[in-house]
Amino acid sequence: CNYEIFCNDSWISASKNEDGVNIIIESNLETTSRESEIHISYSYRNEKVVQSIKIKQEAFEPVLLVERTELNFDSEGGSIDITIEANAEFNISEDADWITYTVTDNIIRITADASPVVDERSTEVIITMPKYDINQNVRVVQKAFIPSLKVDETELIFSAIGGTQNINVITNAAF
């Protein structure tokens, strides 16, 4: 058979194969469905026979799921991994100087530095799919730094002539 295949849309490709026509549809990354037509024509004795095939493709449904929406750190800091499910490109933003993050596949590792402040602190890590205007916030809370100080002696006795004694000081703060 000597037939021709025609389509005006770039998201559709059609080609002849040994059994008929192979139709390939590109991914639809838009949030609206789309439609088109493929036309297959055959000419026989100056007569043109055309058959049209409607093509309908569903809209893309963006997904952004975050395993946890709040992370709690001790004052010592550390790292917590959260799993995300996303079927489109996403961005991460944060504006605290005590938070960093890395992304590996579908894991975001949030790392908090040790806290030097005596008040609890918090910030938001925002995960966005800007093309689809989807945002997911992760609240990050870090407990307050509680300074501690211990000495190994609570009373020192000196002779009448004076002298020197050492005591050990254990603290979690610089002094």
Side-chain angles (χ1 to χ4, degrees), residues 7 9-10 22 24 33-34 38 53 65 76 79 96 100 111 114 119 132 137 142 170 174-175:
C7 181
D9 290 301
S10 62
N22 185 40
I24 299 172
S33 61
R34 57 187 177 183
I38 295 174
I53 302 166
L65 301 174
E76 294 83 21
S79 295
T100 58
T111 301
D119 295 317
Y132 305 107
N137 292 4
Q142 187 171 34
I170 302 168
F175 92 144

Side-chain angles (χ1 to χ4, degrees), residues 6 16 20 29 63 67-68 70 94 103 116-117 126 133 142:
F6 177 75
K16 296 178 191 178
L29 299 179
V63 173
E67 172 188 35
R68 299 169 69 180
E70 183 164 313
E94 51 78 24
V103 180
V117 297
I126 303 167
D133 198 28
Q142 187 171 34

Side-chain angles (χ1 to χ4, degrees), residues 60-99:
F60 177 72
E61 294 184 34
V63 173
L64 179 60
L65 301 174
V66 178
E67 172 188 35
R68 299 169 69 180
T69 57
E70 183 164 313
L71 304 177
N72 294 292
F73 288 93
D74 290 330
S75 63
E76 294 83 21
S79 295
I80 298 175
D81 291 346
I82 57 174
T83 302
I84 64 164
E85 181 183 334
N87 63 354
E89 183 178 322
F90 62 90
N91 298 325
I92 301 171
S93 62
E94 51 78 24
D95 61 1
D97 62 355
W98 52 276
I99 292 290

Side-chain angles (χ1 to χ4, degrees), residues 100-121:
T100 58
Y101 66 87
T102 57
V103 180
T104 305
D105 297 325
N106 65 333
I107 305 291
I108 301 172
R109 172 166 285 174
I110 308 289
T111 301
D113 294 339
S115 178
V117 297
V118 293
D119 295 317
E120 179 178 280
R121 59 185 178 176

Side-chain angles (χ1 to χ4, degrees), residues 105-158:
D105 297 325
N106 65 333
I107 305 291
I108 301 172
R109 172 166 285 174
I110 308 289
T111 301
D113 294 339
S115 178
V117 297
V118 293
D119 295 317
E120 179 178 280
R121 59 185 178 176
S122 65
T123 190
E124 297 281 330
V125 173
I126 303 167
I127 305 164
T128 61
M129 283 183 165
K131 181 174 181 173
Y132 305 107
D133 198 28
I134 297 175
N135 298 325
Q136 187 69 262
N137 292 4
V138 177
R139 181 171 160 75
V140 180
V141 179
Q142 187 171 34
K143 291 182 180 176
F145 171 71
I146 301 171
S148 67
L149 179 71
K150 291 184 182 182
V151 292
D152 62 353
E153 299 289 335
T154 58
E155 183 177 332
L156 297 175
I157 299 173
F158 288 86

Side-chain angles (χ1 to χ4, degrees), residues 42-60:
Y42 174 67
S43 295
Y44 181 73
R45 295 186 183 178
N46 295 331
E47 295 262 345
K48 192 169 193 175
V49 178
V50 177
Q51 179 69 51
S52 297
I53 302 166
K54 271 194 170 190
I55 304 292
K56 295 181 180 181
Q57 187 174 27
E58 296 175 349
F60 177 72

